[in-house]
Amino acid sequence: MRLLPALLVFGLAGCGDRTPRVEAEAPRAVLSSAIADTTPDAGWNATGPAQATIPEEFRGRWDATAESCREISDAQLKVTDRTLIFWEVGVEVRTVTPVGANAIRVEGTGREEEAHFDASNVFQLSADGSVLTMNPGPNGFARIRCLTPDFPGVETR
């Protein structure tokens, strides 16, 4: 039963509009304009070969709201060079491929308790680096950059 949250996080359940969403405190227009500020020739390399590490610009701790950055949240995400650490799911990165201006596709092996699964997600960084959107589009999930590197009360490595 604990595999269900992982399937929802990685969009493998095929739920479409039934996927739970957490809205950010910032007005949708603010998040949309931050994402829309990317241009085809701006930011991180828009083309190039796959690599094994997530670019520095995408790394850090991300959450749905500034308030949730200060407490433990089920929307939290920590991005390191080789891992994505969600609330109950970890992903070991296999490949990172540029897919556009300030956008990468991260493929890896997801792990939740004893379950393992293939994970593939696109992450787009706003032009100012303050918003990270997972799977941009109508069902995308935007997170803001948190100022502290570790989850509250938990030291991650």
Side-chain angles (χ1 to χ4, degrees), residues 33-42 101-103 124-128:
S33 67
I35 293 165
D37 285 346
T38 60
T39 58
D41 59 352
N102 295 334
Q124 184 173 23
L125 190 62
S126 64
D128 68 359

Side-chain angles (χ1 to χ4, degrees), residues 77-114:
L77 168 63
K78 183 170 183 180
V79 179
T80 70
D81 61 338
R82 302 265 317 145
T83 60
L84 301 171
I85 304 166
F86 294 88
W87 173 247
E88 292 184 336
V89 177
V91 176
E92 293 179 27
V93 174
R94 281 193 309 265
T95 60
V96 178
T97 308
V99 293
N102 295 334
I104 56 174
R105 176 177 306 283
V106 177
E107 296 178 334
T109 302
R111 300 179 190 277
E112 180 185 30
E113 294 184 0
E114 296 178 18

